[in-house]
Amino acid sequence: MLLQLAFVLTAIIVGARLGGIGLGVMGGIGLGILTFVFGLQPTSPPIDVMLMIVAVITAASCMQAAGGLDLMVKVAERLLRKHPSRITLLSPLVTYIFTFVAGTGHVAYSVLPVIAEVARETKIRPERPLGIAVIASQQAITASPISAATVALLGLLAGFNISLIQILMITIPATLFGVLLGALYSLRVGKDLTEDPEYQRRLKEGLLNDSHYELKDIHNKHKALLSVLIFIVATVFIVIFGSFDTLRPAHIIDGKTVITDMPSIIEILMLSAAALILLLTKTNGLKAVQGSVFSAGMQAVVAIFGIAWMGDTFLQGNMTALKTSIEGIVTQMPWLFGIALFVMSILLYSQAATVRAFMPLGLALGISPYLLIAMFPAVNGYFFIPNYPTVVAAINFDRTGTTRIGKYVLNHSFMMPGLIATIVSVTTGLILVKLIF
């Protein structure tokens, strides 16, 4: 088993270094080794999860093509410029809402340069709002009802009579509280901008010009607003259908009443939303697949395809040995599984892939599904190594040089806000589980 685990971890590490679809295709190699060399039986690929993600990403991409995301950024810019002194508290709320609505943290790219510029103009150290804004965009993934990670978790817990609203009742307040405490910590990060030596150096050398970041013009605000409304309405219906089984269509099969499952509901609603956006806003469908949201989403699908399939095969093939060796420890101290989720998310580079590859082990070990929901925010660990695209983007957008990777790599601008937000979110989730369930 240890030799198999070594091959699995090697595939993950190499795939993460390749970037893009590298994680998914390396999962294919790892799966091939497990199958042809070690003789493990391949499990079924996570088709339902992949199709749900494809449907959500398709709808979000159509909204982006129709100008919906640009409209959201315009609104966010007006809010931030109206209250510049509160940018450290407002910016994480903005990126959190963006991710919550769109289901992907990559929408934060559009607002990061606005945050950096408003902070610099107000003489607030840009590291403070940028660091926690990036973390908030990650935490919101585990609170969004349509994110790939939440969809994957819902699919795994379908057999435990757990509804989408029960997941959101824990993850939304927990992650919001974690982000809030991370923002309060960020208010005092580093020296004030006017006292920062790197900023002073760049200022003296004339490296900071007065160029103004300009957002793209929205050609048709009515169509952009319509696309956002359609997307939000579809999301609301997903939450409603996911919370109340009786509202879903039912069919009689072999004399038994079978309720339409949530994967099908999500796929139908999101594909319909995408179609309505294209039809009512007269947006070219080709434009949707050329946007950043579609590209990032498809990378996530490939990652889940390869890595989750490899992880499933490894876990199922070694489940007896795993349960024998760690079941007792994890049962007595289930919070250890949260640490394992955090570490795996660093390696897998994806919340959804971590959920799909590792959460089944928690269920097999007998950990309560509600405890797994509480530990769900622990999958937001990929800020730990500062090479994720939104992290790199935030560093590049800060022309003052205050947002940076530290001398020792891990002492970067996102480490403490990320650890605070994650630890507080999981702790709050555990408390809420005890109080509510």
Side-chain angles (χ1 to χ4, degrees), residues 43-112:
T43 57
S44 299
I47 299 298
D48 274 342
V49 173
M50 291 165 58
L51 291 180
M52 283 188 285
I53 297 171
V54 169
V56 172
I57 290 301
T58 300
S61 301
C62 291
M63 179 176 67
Q64 182 183 35
L69 289 184
D70 291 335
L71 179 63
M72 291 169 62
V73 174
K74 283 280 189 182
V75 174
E77 182 191 28
R78 284 199 294 269
L79 174 66
L80 295 176
R81 291 193 182 280
K82 187 176 180 179
H83 305 282
S85 61
R86 301 175 186 173
I87 190 170
T88 305
L89 296 176
L90 290 177
S91 59
L93 293 178
V94 167
T95 55
Y96 186 99
I97 292 172
F98 271 38
T99 299
F100 181 87
V101 171
T104 171
H106 293 282
V107 296
Y109 290 126
S110 303
V111 77
L112 289 178

Side-chain angles (χ1 to χ4, degrees), residues 1 3 14 36 42 70 97 108 161 194 204 226 268 310 348 360 396 408 413:
M1 183 183 74
L3 186 57
V14 173
F36 297 112
D70 291 335
I97 292 172
N161 294 320
T194 54
K204 290 178 181 178
L226 182 59
I268 292 169
M310 176 184 69
L348 289 176
N396 292 332
Y408 304 104
S413 299

Side-chain angles (χ1 to χ4, degrees), residues 97-401:
I97 292 172
F98 271 38
T99 299
F100 181 87
V101 171
T104 171
H106 293 282
V107 296
Y109 290 126
S110 303
V111 77
L112 289 178
V114 176
I115 295 171
E117 184 170 283
V118 173
R120 182 170 64 89
E121 291 173 353
T122 317
K123 294 297 184 285
I124 292 175
R125 185 183 182 90
E127 177 186 24
R128 295 172 180 173
L130 283 173
I132 188 61
V134 168
I135 298 302
S137 71
Q138 297 175 3
Q139 288 289 321
I141 288 288
T142 49
S144 172
I146 57 172
S147 72
T150 303
V151 164
L153 181 63
L154 179 63
L156 290 173
L157 300 182
F160 295 88
N161 294 320
I162 291 177
S163 65
L164 180 58
I165 194 66
Q166 289 176 305
I167 296 176
L168 300 181
M169 284 170 61
I170 300 300
T171 59
I172 291 177
T175 53
L176 276 174
F177 189 54
V179 167
L180 175 61
L181 289 191
L184 292 175
Y185 167 82
S186 298
L187 287 170
R188 298 185 177 276
V189 166
K191 297 180 179 179
D192 289 339
L193 183 61
T194 54
E195 299 175 3
D196 185 79
E198 177 62 20
Y199 170 72
Q200 292 297 334
R201 181 189 71 81
R202 296 189 181 196
L203 197 61
K204 290 178 181 178
E205 295 180 7
L207 299 177
L208 299 176
N209 53 47
D210 295 326
S211 60
H212 182 70
Y213 177 75
E214 294 290 343
L215 294 172
K216 292 190 297 184
D217 289 332
I218 302 171
H219 299 297
N220 193 318
K221 291 184 179 180
H222 173 74
K223 291 181 179 180
L225 178 59
L226 182 59
S227 70
V228 175
L229 291 177
I230 292 172
F231 191 88
I232 291 176
V233 169
T235 302
V236 171
F237 272 108
I238 286 173
V239 175
I240 293 173
F241 283 122
S243 304
F244 305 100
D245 294 350
T246 54
L247 296 179
R248 292 186 233 158
H251 306 87
I252 304 298
I253 300 177
D254 295 330
K256 295 182 179 180
T257 302
V258 178
I259 299 175
T260 304
D261 58 22
M262 275 309 295
S264 298
I265 294 292
I266 293 173
E267 290 157 17
I268 292 169
L269 288 175
M270 279 293 148
L271 287 177
S272 298
L276 287 173
I277 290 172
L278 294 180
L279 289 171
L280 298 180
T281 65
K282 298 180 181 178
T283 300
N284 190 329
L286 290 176
K287 188 177 179 182
V289 301
Q290 295 169 352
S292 58
V293 172
F294 189 84
S295 174
M298 289 305 106
Q299 290 177 34
V301 171
V302 176
I304 290 174
F305 185 24
I307 289 296
W309 195 6
M310 176 184 69
D312 269 353
T313 300
F314 171 75
L315 292 177
Q316 293 303 319
N318 297 279
M319 188 58 71
T320 302
L322 286 169
K323 291 183 71 173
T324 301
S325 58
I326 65 175
E327 185 175 19
I329 298 175
V330 174
T331 302
Q332 293 177 8
M333 295 180 288
W335 53 269
L336 288 174
F337 192 75
I339 296 177
L341 285 174
F342 185 82
V343 173
M344 287 303 296
S345 70
I346 297 173
L347 296 175
L348 289 176
Y349 225 49
S350 165
Q351 297 105 326
T354 303
V355 169
R356 194 57 186 79
F358 211 62
M359 281 291 193
L361 176 61
L363 293 171
L365 293 173
I367 299 176
S368 164
Y370 294 105
L371 289 181
L372 292 178
I373 295 172
M375 290 184 281
F376 183 27
V379 303
N380 291 307
Y382 54 66
F383 67 84
F384 197 82
I385 299 174
N387 60 349
Y388 195 73
T390 49
V391 169
V392 175
I395 293 172
N396 292 332
F397 283 133
D398 182 6
R399 292 184 291 166
T400 68

